[in-house]
Amino acid sequence: MDRRDFLRRTLLAGGGSALAATAGCGMRFQDERDDGRTTIRYMAWGNPEQIAVEREIIRAFEARHPHLRVRLFMVPGSAYADKLQLMLASHTAPDVMRADHYYFPALARKEYFLPLEPFIEREPPGFLDDFVPIAIEEGKWRGRLYGLNVLFGAVMIYYNQDLFAAAGLPDPYELNRQGKWDWQAFLRAARKLTRYENGRAVQFGTNMVTWPLYASVIWNFGGEITDPGITRMTMGNDPGAIAGMQAYADLRWKWHCSPTPAESALSAFTFESGRLAMHWGWAGESPRFRRNIKSFRWDLTTTPSGPAGNFTVVKGNQLCIYRESRHPNEAWEFVKFMTGPEAELLLCGKLRRAVPTRRSVLNDPRYLEADQPPYHTDIFLESIERGRTLPIDWRYQEWSQAFNSALETLFNVNEKDAAAALADASERVTRILAGEEGF
Amino acid sequence: MTSGGAIKRALVFVALCVGAAIFSVPFLWTVSTALKTNQQVFAVPPQWIPNPPQWGNFRRAWTELPFATFVLNTVTITAIAVVGQVATASLVAYGFARFRFRGRNFLFYLMLSTMMLPAQVTMIPVFLFWRELRLIDTFAPLTVPAYFGGGAFSIFLLRQFFLTIPRDLDEAAMIDGATPFCIFHRILLPLARPAIVTVVLFSFLAHWDDFMGPLIYLNSMERYTVSIGLRMFQDMFGTQLELLMAASLVHVLPTVVLFFVAQRYFIKGVALTGLKG
Amino acid sequence: MAYPDGKRATLGWRDVVRKATLAAGITRRGARGNWDRWGYLFIAPWLAGFLIFTAGPMLASLYLSFCKYDLYELRWVGTKNYEVLLTRDPLFWKSLTNTAIYVLFSVPLGLTGSLLLALLLNQKVKGIALFRTLFYLPSLVPAVASALVWLWVFHPEAGILNYALGWFGIAGPQWLQDPRTALVSLILMSLWGIGGARMIIFLAGLQGIPDEQYEAASLDGARGWAVFRHVTLPMLSPTILFNLVLGIIGSFQVFTSAYVMTNGGPNNATLMYVLYLYNNAFRYFKMGKASAMAWILFVILLAFTLIQFRHARRWVYYEGGESD
């Protein structure tokens, strides 16, 4: 190496940093060209089909409002919460954003979103009437509305019709219509549909979902999760909750009709593979099943009722407007459109990605008719009608984590029974809710 | 090491083969899975060579998301950053290794200490800094820091390496009136080739695999890198292991190739290390 | 430069720099002192970067550790965070213990393994490049894919580890699903990386040992183990120190494997220190508490490193004659 090499290196280094700087500055918002249109930034997550549908909705919106443009940017779902929080904290958040209800209260509490009442007041009266009340309630924090619900839905059961028929079991959808789809019926089906060959499981009756999808089991056995004000977790002393939790855990450890964590690792028993007879899941899984399942018939039914109730778990996501948005009125137009009947028909009807929040759409024949599975579209309606929301407050992330850890002794390794695990969990969660070492 | 007898060579070869087999099993399984259909993935007993191999998995992995764009972005960022990192890290390491200036030890420990604070806590203040400069959603936050010493790891590595080179040549050159720059690029750099190649390799890997950086600084999908693309892919196709493995291989391939190519310089470095007494 | 005939060419930039340095410097130590001042110039890029990108954020996080900050409102609380962590937070001690165990095993084992591998791969055997690549492959696979591969390896039924153990008639444990063996699984996983970065560095270090040293040793009649002990190890000692220091610093901050594979479970058996920190910072929005955790870790690591460097004087040999 001699002087030429050295000079070359210096030039490279110098040129490189210059390049870095220019590459940095030059590649800014290229599409904010000066064409007079106001740009609204919209942030979301989703799979390709859903994004395609949302782009279609955006195109329809832009056609309706020629002076506006919507710039959608996507973030991987698993990193979405982190990214959203970062953008909000650093004042770089988009005008419109979707927030999962799991962390919506935490964000609303920090006053990141604009209250929507002023916008609603300017609309024709009765604007909120079409919406399902439970969907509206979810978007409220301390009595004020901060988000309209999108990607709304309930936990339902997808079931493999061929497996049920082959085992000679009555169809769970029919049972539900007759009001006989209760825990006993569910358990019977799950047990009958679990098969072992040579000591190795080849088929399971049902999956075991993570918290909070199984909350309905607790409610339907007469239990409550927390007190109404969400200041204490009451399950430790609640016989209904204990019974429900034990019944759920028994699926795995007593009746063996659900795979253990080891068995279900690496997606070994997915619904699509045909090796799982019943799958508890959200409406959002329908597009994926439609795409991947070609070899058996499948459809929907509700989650089972219990001895003391027939609730289902209902949850949505909030579409919110950033408090520091420079185009709040335009953002409102977009939010209105996204939750409007047209958009909901596209997203929920055509794609079945979610359940509509508008009653008009829920009852619209265009929504109810299905040319592809799932055909039991009335299940969507029924699940909403029987729906109950989860006790999600602004500390949910923390206490749900503690709750899950405590329950791992029950679900993962069967070391404790439901009563002991719940007592432990309740104590930990109550401490957090009381704001003690939750500092 | 000087070569021993034939038996020794044979033993070494056997050990290498056994070890390599064990170590490459996970990777081979990845390749094998990438070529299967979804049903074959969980077949018991496991099939090692799928028949017929599903090359279509790779095409799907490549086209479902704009991986071509992602790769281009990642290459750009990585190239710019690696150049800066190597250049500045070697300069700084030279400073720490060959000069006894006041406060040198303190500054060296200070530099090391930057590695002891988990990145998670400085992430937000650094992010706010870039926001003030209005450089969010550009490549600047991912490339410019490399030109400021390029990270304690590289500096530490090169400094240790420079310390192993005897000062005789330095002193001789000093007497001849050479400037520090001269000594640096005529004497030390050529001798440190294995270490430089190492730094290039690690720097490349770090920037190629970086996930948190691009995640927090890039917003537009046109600017995303391969690591974000892979995470998005995982979110969408997580239950389809065969596609996920195919996408991962696409991500891994450049690094494997680079590593294989970089081998030669390790061997070359030996030839140049010969010092005369 | 002054030509041999005494005449001077036009002043080159080197002359200017040298003259300027001479003029600026007070030569208390004579020519040596001047020379040493060049050091400041060379480390300038790092120093500048440190002041701009690092010092500020580090001080900010120190300040935050005395506050309660949830990315919305900031309140000074003094040493409350530290007090809560050290006395009232069982997860803090749990995560610290988990991490300490992890470091205690993975660092020595990993270091020894890497060194042995590097020795093995330093041979002039045919196809050595291919072998090196094969050994390095596990480190090249990105975290996401790597996690899946390892979930498969540790799968209690379909996994290759229990399958192999079955050959010896041993019934393998539940590995990652069982709180008793989950941490062990992560330690084992870290060992697969012995073919990785550390080994490459050892390899570079081994390649940097000049042949003359070995020739001199064999002339003195040394063979095998003696050569290793008296030539290889001392010449390699700076590299060993490097890998040791960074190994401890790095292992203490283990995050990705726990984050992607087990999320700290089951029942906090694999809750690593930095994972708990991350949860506090980004899931529970307790930036103050997270910052306090970071600085506690900082103090621990700084202490470790200083002890190592101090102790290093006794066993590390720098050919360049440099010692701290």
Side-chain angles (χ1 to χ4, degrees):
Chain A
M1 284 227 227
D2 56 5
R3 189 189 315 190
R4 250 176 316 162
D5 271 305
F6 179 68
L7 277 178
R8 204 184 325 139
R9 279 172 145 256
T10 326
L11 272 171
L12 262 176
S17 31
L19 192 67
T22 44
C25 305
M27 294 172 83
R28 213 110 33 107
F29 300 108
Q30 291 148 326
D31 49 13
E32 260 159 27
R33 295 173 290 261
D34 201 11
D35 63 353
R37 292 207 271 171
T38 315
T39 303
I40 308 169
R41 291 163 67 217
Y42 166 50
M43 178 173 167
W45 73 86
N47 56 31
E49 288 101 357
Q50 181 194 341
I51 294 297
V53 172
E54 294 214 4
R55 283 199 207 277
E56 217 182 300
I57 297 175
I58 289 174
R59 270 195 294 274
F61 174 76
E62 287 179 351
R64 193 74 58 81
H65 302 261
H67 63 291
L68 294 178
R69 178 199 3 250
V70 174
R71 210 170 129 253
L72 162 71
F73 64 98
M74 264 193 65
V75 177
S78 52
Y80 189 87
D82 296 341
K83 177 104 182 174
L84 182 63
Q85 172 64 73
L86 183 69
M87 293 180 82
L88 287 167
S90 64
H91 306 279
T92 52
D95 304 282
V96 177
M97 62 209 114
R98 206 198 295 152
D100 198 314
H101 187 64
Y102 290 130
Y103 44 84
F104 167 75
L107 295 176
R109 173 175 166 266
K110 295 185 195 166
E111 294 174 6
Y112 286 136
F113 306 131
L114 278 181
L116 298 178
E117 281 91 345
F119 297 106
I120 294 175
E121 271 154 33
R122 279 183 254 149
E123 298 293 328
F127 177 79
L128 286 179
D129 293 349
D130 192 26
F131 288 102
V132 171
I134 212 174
I136 294 293
E137 283 310 303
E138 252 204 352
K140 288 194 181 168
W141 165 257
R142 297 252 164 93
R144 305 199 68 189
L145 187 66
Y146 287 98
L148 283 184
N149 222 318
V150 289
L151 296 192
F152 183 58
V155 178
M156 300 171 287
I157 291 187
Y158 295 85
Y159 69 98
N160 187 325
Q161 289 172 310
D162 289 348
L163 286 182
F164 269 82
L169 285 165
D171 187 292
Y173 173 71
E174 292 304 322
L175 284 179
N176 182 51
R177 285 253 286 256
Q178 297 159 23
K180 292 192 187 153
W181 182 237
D182 59 2
W183 189 258
Q184 290 310 315
F186 166 72
L187 183 58
R188 205 176 315 128
R191 291 181 64 191
K192 194 114 187 264
L193 290 164
T194 302
R195 286 192 302 123
Y196 281 79
E197 266 168 37
N198 301 327
R200 189 178 224 120
V202 293
Q203 183 181 304
F204 279 106
T206 174
N207 63 341
M208 276 192 81
V209 285
T210 52
W211 176 261
L213 280 79
Y214 60 81
S216 60
V217 179
I218 304 210
W219 291 326
N220 292 342
F221 273 75
E224 290 296 324
I225 301 172
T226 62
D227 62 332
I230 315 184
T231 61
R232 281 190 334 270
M233 175 168 275
T234 50
M235 288 204 266
N237 300 321
D238 186 337
I242 294 174
M245 194 66 96
Q246 189 67 59
Y248 194 63
D250 283 348
L251 285 173
R252 175 176 278 164
W253 299 116
K254 186 167 172 196
W255 308 114
H256 304 288
C257 51
S258 193
T260 60
E263 284 162 335
S264 58
L266 296 176
S267 316
F269 289 94
T270 57
F271 186 64
E272 298 109 295
S273 63
R275 301 166 68 178
L276 191 71
M278 290 186 279
H279 174 92
W280 294 49
W282 302 100
E285 306 193 50
S286 306
R288 194 179 85 234
F289 292 152
R290 270 188 184 173
R291 198 168 17 107
N292 294 339
I293 300 179
K294 308 283 181 222
S295 54
F296 58 86
R297 292 175 309 140
W298 57 280
D299 220 301
L300 278 176
T301 184
T302 60
T303 49
S305 61
N310 67 348
F311 295 108
T312 59
V313 178
V314 151
K315 187 188 82 70
N317 299 273
Q318 272 64 53
L319 200 61
C320 308
I321 302 179
Y322 185 41
R323 185 172 282 263
E324 293 171 21
S325 164
R326 278 179 288 177
H327 315 288
N329 295 312
E330 291 82 352
W332 168 248
E333 289 300 317
F334 183 64
V335 168
K336 211 171 60 171
F337 192 80
M338 258 309 226
T339 55
E342 211 179 306
E344 290 211 322
L345 262 175
L346 261 179
L347 203 58
C348 307
K350 187 169 149 206
L351 192 62
R352 298 273 180 235
R353 172 67 178 82
V355 177
T357 53
R358 285 176 174 273
R359 282 188 272 229
S360 56
V361 180
L362 272 168
N363 291 303
D364 190 319
R366 280 174 298 173
Y367 171 74
L368 291 172
E369 264 158 35
D371 57 345
Q372 288 182 62
Y375 300 106
H376 300 157
T377 51
D378 52 327
I379 294 293
F380 290 126
L381 266 124
E382 191 184 329
S383 299
I384 300 292
E385 273 157 25
R386 285 162 50 181
R388 236 183 109 163
T389 51
L390 298 155
I392 293 177
D393 68 332
W394 62 274
R395 266 177 296 222
Y396 180 72
Q397 298 285 74
E398 193 184 352
W399 70 254
S400 62
Q401 174 98 353
F403 180 72
N404 279 322
S405 288
L407 284 179
E408 268 162 359
T409 49
L410 173 65
F411 286 126
N412 276 34
V413 287
N414 201 23
E415 260 173 26
K416 290 191 185 165
D417 67 349
L422 277 176
D424 183 25
S426 300
E427 196 231 322
R428 289 196 214 180
V429 171
T430 304
R431 275 222 314 268
I432 293 175
L433 288 174
E436 278 181 23
E437 137 254 309
F439 184 79
Chain B
M1 274 196 186
T2 53
S3 45
I7 298 180
K8 184 178 173 222
R9 275 176 168 262
L11 276 175
V12 165
F13 197 75
V14 167
L16 281 174
C17 285
V18 170
I22 298 177
F23 272 75
S24 50
V25 156
F27 186 78
L28 292 176
W29 179 78
T30 309
V31 174
S32 163
T33 308
L35 292 171
K36 290 182 180 166
T37 62
N38 196 256
Q39 280 74 31
Q40 289 171 321
V41 173
F42 291 106
V44 170
Q47 232 185 334
W48 276 98
I49 304 179
N51 189 9
Q54 305 285 323
W55 297 106
N57 285 347
F58 286 100
R59 195 177 29 86
R60 266 194 82 187
W62 184 257
T63 54
E64 288 279 1
L65 288 172
F67 267 102
T69 314
F70 296 158
V71 169
L72 190 61
N73 292 334
T74 317
V75 166
T76 312
I77 295 174
T78 306
I80 298 176
V82 167
V83 164
Q85 191 154 356
V86 171
T88 52
S90 49
L91 286 170
V92 175
Y94 178 55
F96 276 122
R98 283 298 199 244
F99 299 92
R100 288 200 192 90
F101 49 89
R102 249 222 326 228
R104 181 197 65 172
N105 282 358
F106 169 72
L107 286 173
F108 181 69
Y109 287 127
L110 189 64
M111 182 205 74
L112 273 192
S113 70
T114 60
M115 287 193 284
M116 301 180 204
L117 200 68
Q120 285 81 355
V121 281
T122 49
M123 226 161 79
I124 297 220
V126 173
F127 181 81
L128 291 174
F129 167 76
W130 287 109
R131 194 194 76 100
E132 288 310 308
L133 294 182
R134 306 223 165 282
L135 287 174
I136 302 295
D137 207 20
T138 69
F139 289 161
L142 301 169
T143 53
V144 169
Y147 285 82
F148 287 90
F153 179 83
S154 316
I155 299 174
F156 189 18
L157 175 68
L158 288 170
R159 179 251 195 194
Q160 293 301 97
F161 211 82
F162 285 151
L163 286 175
T164 62
I165 299 173
R167 286 176 167 261
D168 314 7
L169 293 176
D170 285 49
E171 313 255 307
M174 264 169 75
I175 293 170
D176 282 345
T179 62
F181 277 114
C182 232
I183 298 180
F184 172 65
H185 74 82
R186 278 196 217 185
I187 296 169
L188 285 181
L189 275 188
L191 293 177
R193 191 169 291 208
I196 300 273
V197 171
T198 309
V199 170
V200 168
L201 190 64
F202 290 148
S203 177
F204 182 88
L205 280 174
H207 287 97
W208 189 262
D209 280 346
D210 188 15
F211 174 71
M212 285 310 277
L215 178 73
I216 64 178
Y217 289 113
L218 299 174
N219 292 336
S220 341
M221 200 143 122
E222 309 90 61
R223 280 166 219 161
Y224 278 172
T225 60
V226 182
S227 46
I228 300 188
L230 196 61
R231 184 69 72 95
M232 273 167 63
F233 200 84
Q234 187 195 15
D235 284 346
M236 294 177 196
F237 299 101
T239 50
Q240 294 175 267
L241 273 185
E242 70 284 3
L243 290 180
L244 196 53
M245 292 296 121
S248 305
L249 281 175
V250 166
H251 181 48
V252 167
L253 203 61
T255 49
V256 174
V257 168
L258 178 73
F259 183 79
F260 197 74
V261 164
Q263 293 300 317
R264 301 163 45 214
Y265 291 97
F266 281 131
I267 302 176
K268 249 198 200 173
V270 175
L272 289 170
T273 307
L275 289 170
K276 277 112 199 137
Chain C
M1 287 283 267
Y3 285 125
D5 61 0
K7 289 220 183 80
R8 276 183 169 244
T10 38
L11 279 177
W13 63 269
R14 285 210 196 94
D15 295 301
V16 175
V17 172
R18 206 187 313 146
K19 275 180 178 282
T21 323
L22 274 168
I26 305 164
T27 56
R28 235 184 312 166
R29 291 188 221 135
R32 184 75 214 176
N34 252 346
W35 181 263
D36 281 330
R37 259 166 238 279
W38 280 97
Y40 288 118
L41 181 69
F42 280 101
I43 69 164
W46 170 76
L47 202 54
F50 174 78
L51 291 171
I52 299 173
F53 299 117
T54 318
M58 275 176 88
L59 289 173
S61 75
L62 182 60
Y63 176 71
L64 274 181
S65 73
F66 293 108
C67 299
K68 183 170 179 206
Y69 180 51
D70 58 0
L71 292 171
Y72 173 60
E73 57 173 357
L74 185 64
R75 201 164 37 110
W76 176 268
V77 290
T79 54
K80 190 94 186 286
N81 282 327
Y82 291 98
E83 183 198 317
V84 168
L85 279 171
L86 294 169
T87 59
R88 278 191 273 153
D89 190 349
L91 283 181
F92 170 77
W93 291 109
K94 178 86 184 155
S95 64
L96 193 56
T97 316
N98 285 343
T99 313
I101 296 175
Y102 180 82
V103 171
L104 191 65
F105 285 98
S106 71
V107 171
L109 288 174
L111 221 54
T112 319
S114 298
L115 184 54
L116 288 175
L117 261 186
L119 287 170
L120 192 62
L121 289 171
N122 197 27
Q123 314 290 329
K124 288 192 191 68
V125 176
K126 235 195 174 117
I128 195 73
L130 178 66
F131 280 116
R132 285 181 189 161
T133 313
L134 286 177
F135 275 101
Y136 195 69
L137 276 182
S139 319
L140 286 174
V141 181
V144 165
S146 188
L148 286 167
V149 172
W150 284 104
L151 281 172
W152 171 74
V153 168
F154 283 118
H155 198 279
E157 263 120 63
I160 196 148
L161 200 53
N162 278 359
Y163 185 62
L165 282 176
W167 289 340
F168 298 101
I170 308 173
Q174 298 286 308
W175 298 116
L176 287 167
Q177 320 295 341
D178 189 341
R180 289 162 298 189
T181 54
L183 195 54
V184 173
S185 314
L186 287 187
I187 293 175
L188 280 178
M189 218 176 109
S190 77
L191 290 183
W192 237 257
I194 59 176
R198 261 179 315 216
M199 186 205 73
I200 299 297
I201 293 171
F202 274 134
L203 206 54
L206 282 172
Q207 304 256 329
I209 301 175
D211 283 336
E212 283 75 21
Q213 299 274 356
Y214 291 113
E215 282 162 22
S218 68
L219 279 176
D220 283 345
R223 291 268 179 276
W225 174 250
V227 173
F228 181 73
R229 196 164 167 270
H230 293 286
V231 178
T232 314
L233 269 188
M235 291 299 284
L236 209 52
S237 53
T239 324
I240 297 179
L241 176 67
F242 175 80
N243 273 336
L244 181 64
V245 169
L246 286 192
I248 293 185
I249 293 178
S251 296
F252 253 105
Q253 296 186 50
V254 61
F255 172 74
T256 313
S257 50
Y259 178 66
V260 177
M261 294 177 68
T262 58
N263 204 22
N267 200 16
N268 296 322
T270 56
L271 184 68
M272 296 296 168
Y273 193 83
V274 176
L275 178 60
Y276 186 48
L277 193 159
Y278 177 86
N279 283 347
N280 273 304
F282 294 105
R283 292 205 178 137
Y284 315 152
F285 306 134
K286 294 181 182 171
M287 286 300 293
K289 192 171 170 189
S291 302
M293 281 188 77
W295 279 89
I296 293 177
L297 182 67
F298 179 82
V299 167
I300 294 175
L301 289 177
L302 189 63
F304 260 99
T305 310
L306 285 176
I307 294 173
Q308 281 170 83
F309 270 109
R310 197 133 282 192
H311 191 252
R313 279 183 218 171
R314 269 182 261 160
W315 60 274
V316 178
Y317 168 73
Y318 290 111
E319 180 75 9
E322 193 75 20
S323 66
D324 299 307

